Amino acid sequence: MGSKGPNIVVVGAGAAGIIAAWRAASMGARVILLEKTVRIGTKILISGGGKCNITHAGSVEDVLKGFRPNEARFIRPACYRFRNDQVIEMLTDKGLEVYTRPDGRIFPVDQTAKDVVAILKTYLEEAEVDIRYEHFVKGIDVKDGRVSAVRYQKPGAEEQSLPADSVIVCAGGSSYPNSGTTGDGWQWARTLGHSIVKVTAALAPVYLTLDDETATNRSGIALRDCVLKARFGGKEFARWRDDLLFTHQGVSGPTVLGISREVAERMRDGEVTLEIDLVPDKTFEVLTAETLTYVSQYPKRLIATFVDEIVPSRLVDGILDAATLPKDLVAGRLDKKSRNRLVTVLKGWSLGPVRTVPLEKGEVVAGGVSLDEVDPQTLQSDIVAGLYFCGEVLDIAGDVGGYNLQAAFATGYVAGETAAKTTFKKS
Ligand SMILES: Cc1cc2nc3c(=O)[nH]c(=O)nc-3n(C[C@H](O)[C@H](O)[C@H](O)COP(=O)(O)OP(=O)(O)OC[C@H]3O[C@@H](n4cnc5c(N)ncnc54)[C@H](O)[C@@H]3O)c2cc1C
């Protein structure tokens, strides 16, 4: 053992692992941070499109609104222990300037995610965390109900064992596997007796059942402020209002990310379809009245021109097709039935069935180590002493908005703090 005391081994140098390692080390513990890849904070680097939506503004209770009730209950103690304003203070203390968007998301002003990671690295260095890159953790050993060692492998070398008094598992989820997260933590947790809640995509794009021509025609079109709805057996079960982007495979953007988890979950039971309300601020009746006005004012103009004022030009043909209206139809010839079909489509344009919600493309995954077997006050396993879980490896998935990094930072902080206190008490 080093002069600073027993080993706390933190596995995974993402948001949770960085903060866990820093917190434990700054309390005087000897901390070794094992990272599979060649850098820390890979997902932070790609977060918020490289800008990093660090956390969410408001009270702790506001932050907790970004999670499902059981998840919010679980992370509440940690989020009070290491609050969003403390996260920001930690970064601004070292020169980061931040601003809050009207929707509550907090970003660096001119700097980027790179600067956020650089600052976090400074904290690790100041606290003398021993960071070991290209250390691929293979498993965790337990002796007499308590963690005893971490097994790891370096490239081209044999598997080795590192004695540990506490192990903090921060190996993340399984989206963006190229960034290093391949669900390894769940395997170790399962082997050690933990239940893993079924993993599904969350904050992910949605792939639709589209023919190539339609996909190509729509790809790249952005819709501003629409309502995306998901239906199962004809019944709506999820909706999100914001922007939407058509991709080559289907749809993406905030609306899609917002409902993707519920869509992925519901698809286990059968077919899910999507539809868009393209004019969410207008009721069916108001839109009908506007259509009638247009018809009476411009009877000789194409009805396509009316639609063009509502949706991006490249979508006009698709809308007319969906309403079974000919492209050369003039307004004066729009009869009542046709008008109703058009308004119906504008208020609920069907995108057809969902093909899949690709788990690996999500910003996070839902599911993971069951919250029922981890103590929310300490993040320690109820099954194995000295074992901690924090961040995305847990069954937690917040909304878009900085919530997920906040959950990782807060749970990491508490795990690091508890591990340091408990380990010292033991020795
Ligand atoms: C594209 C994208 C954009 C995002 N944008 C935002 C955003 O703006 N705001 C926000 O709040 N959230 C955002 N998120 C989500 C957020 O990044 C994650 O929720 C958060 O990083 C999870 O932190 P974590 O520490 O639990 O896991 P991760 O950050 O995934 O870190 C896990 C670490 O463990 C390492 N590891 C895995 N297995 C092993 C092993 N066997 N041995 C050793 N090391 C291992 C990995 O290499 C990785 O470094 C985004 C995610 C993505 C993919």
Side-chain angles (χ1 to χ4, degrees), residues 30-46:
R30 179 176 176 221
V31 181
I32 299 173
L33 175 55
L34 301 181
E35 169 54 45
K36 185 195 230 181
T37 69
V38 295
R39 62 180 67 82
I40 67 160
T42 305
K43 266 199 183 148
I44 303 178
L45 289 172
I46 58 172

Side-chain angles (χ1 to χ4, degrees), residues 184-257:
D184 304 1
W186 300 324
Q187 289 175 33
W188 315 324
R190 199 179 281 119
T191 308
L192 297 175
H194 276 271
S195 323
I196 306 299
V197 175
K198 191 173 166 46
V199 174
T200 35
L203 306 188
V206 167
Y207 291 175
L208 298 167
T209 318
L210 295 174
D211 60 78
D212 275 354
E213 194 189 339
T214 312
T216 309
N217 286 345
R218 289 186 197 162
S219 180
I221 299 174
L223 292 177
R224 301 275 164 240
D225 192 24
C226 60
V227 174
L228 180 67
K229 301 175 189 173
R231 293 187 185 277
F232 179 76
K235 205 166 166 236
E236 181 186 322
F237 65 89
R239 64 162 62 196
W240 202 278
R241 182 170 180 166
D242 206 317
D243 301 339
L244 178 142
L245 177 73
F246 285 92
T247 66
H248 197 75
Q249 304 263 32
V251 281
S252 189
T255 47
V256 180
L257 268 50

Side-chain angles (χ1 to χ4, degrees), residues 55-374:
T55 184
H56 202 85
S59 67
V60 172
E61 292 304 317
D62 289 334
V63 170
L64 295 173
K65 283 182 194 142
F67 297 86
R68 288 191 175 174
N70 68 316
E71 299 170 3
R73 253 193 318 277
F74 181 86
I75 61 168
R76 177 173 275 110
C79 284
Y80 272 100
R81 186 77 195 89
F82 192 48
R83 298 181 314 269
N84 47 352
D85 57 312
Q86 290 171 290
V87 170
I88 292 304
E89 194 181 314
M90 185 173 171
L91 296 168
T92 51
D93 271 358
K94 290 217 186 286
L96 195 81
E97 285 181 58
V98 299
Y99 77 104
T100 305
R101 290 193 183 171
D103 61 4
R105 301 181 200 190
I106 303 183
F107 284 88
V109 179
D110 292 321
Q111 294 134 303
T112 65
K114 247 184 173 168
D115 302 288
V116 173
V117 173
I119 290 175
L120 293 174
K121 196 165 182 196
T122 314
Y123 275 104
L124 290 175
E125 286 162 359
E126 283 174 2
E128 297 179 35
V129 172
D130 179 356
I131 312 173
R132 300 189 187 172
Y133 297 101
E134 293 188 294
H135 279 58
F136 190 135
V137 171
K138 305 292 240 182
I140 296 164
D141 292 333
V142 173
K143 211 173 157 193
D144 303 328
R146 190 177 178 91
V147 289
S148 58
V150 172
R151 280 176 283 110
Y152 67 91
Q153 199 164 19
K154 290 201 283 180
E158 296 280 293
E159 191 172 295
Q160 295 185 55
S161 182
L162 180 67
D165 295 284
S166 299
V167 177
I168 308 180
V169 177
C170 314
S174 62
S175 69
Y176 280 71
N178 290 342
S179 72
T181 44
T182 44
D184 304 1
W186 300 324
Q187 289 175 33
W188 315 324
R190 199 179 281 119
T191 308
L192 297 175
H194 276 271
S195 323
I196 306 299
V197 175
K198 191 173 166 46
V199 174
T200 35
L203 306 188
V206 167
Y207 291 175
L208 298 167
T209 318
L210 295 174
D211 60 78
D212 275 354
E213 194 189 339
T214 312
T216 309
N217 286 345
R218 289 186 197 162
S219 180
I221 299 174
L223 292 177
R224 301 275 164 240
D225 192 24
C226 60
V227 174
L228 180 67
K229 301 175 189 173
R231 293 187 185 277
F232 179 76
K235 205 166 166 236
E236 181 186 322
F237 65 89
R239 64 162 62 196
W240 202 278
R241 182 170 180 166
D242 206 317
D243 301 339
L244 178 142
L245 177 73
F246 285 92
T247 66
H248 197 75
Q249 304 263 32
V251 281
S252 189
T255 47
V256 180
L257 268 50
I259 64 167
S260 59
R261 179 177 180 182
E262 282 162 286
V263 170
E265 287 170 347
R266 197 57 73 96
M267 280 182 72
R268 290 180 200 150
D269 303 325
E271 185 177 272
V272 169
T273 56
L274 295 187
E275 74 179 40
I276 309 175
D277 182 344
L278 295 151
V279 271
D281 282 332
K282 291 174 186 166
T283 61
F284 189 92
E285 291 70 28
V286 168
L287 198 57
T288 300
E290 284 186 7
T291 314
L292 280 168
T293 307
Y294 182 87
V295 167
S296 65
Q297 279 180 348
Y298 311 109
K300 290 191 177 151
R301 280 196 196 165
L302 290 176
I303 205 68
T305 311
F306 172 70
V307 177
D308 199 10
E309 286 170 14
I310 299 173
V311 302
S313 304
R314 280 170 63 201
L315 284 186
V316 172
D317 284 358
I319 299 293
L320 293 176
D321 281 348
T324 57
L325 298 178
K327 294 176 185 49
D328 58 358
L329 181 72
V330 291
R333 291 188 155 271
L334 188 75
D335 60 26
K336 187 177 174 193
K337 275 190 181 159
S338 306
R339 189 184 65 231
N340 279 342
R341 283 203 307 276
L342 176 61
V343 175
T344 303
V345 170
L346 290 170
K347 288 295 294 170
W349 181 35
S350 174
L351 299 179
V354 173
R355 179 156 54 86
T356 186
V357 187
L359 190 134
E360 70 286 357
K361 304 274 187 201
E363 289 198 4
V364 289
V365 290
V369 174
S370 170
L371 304 182
D372 295 337
E373 296 159 358
V374 178

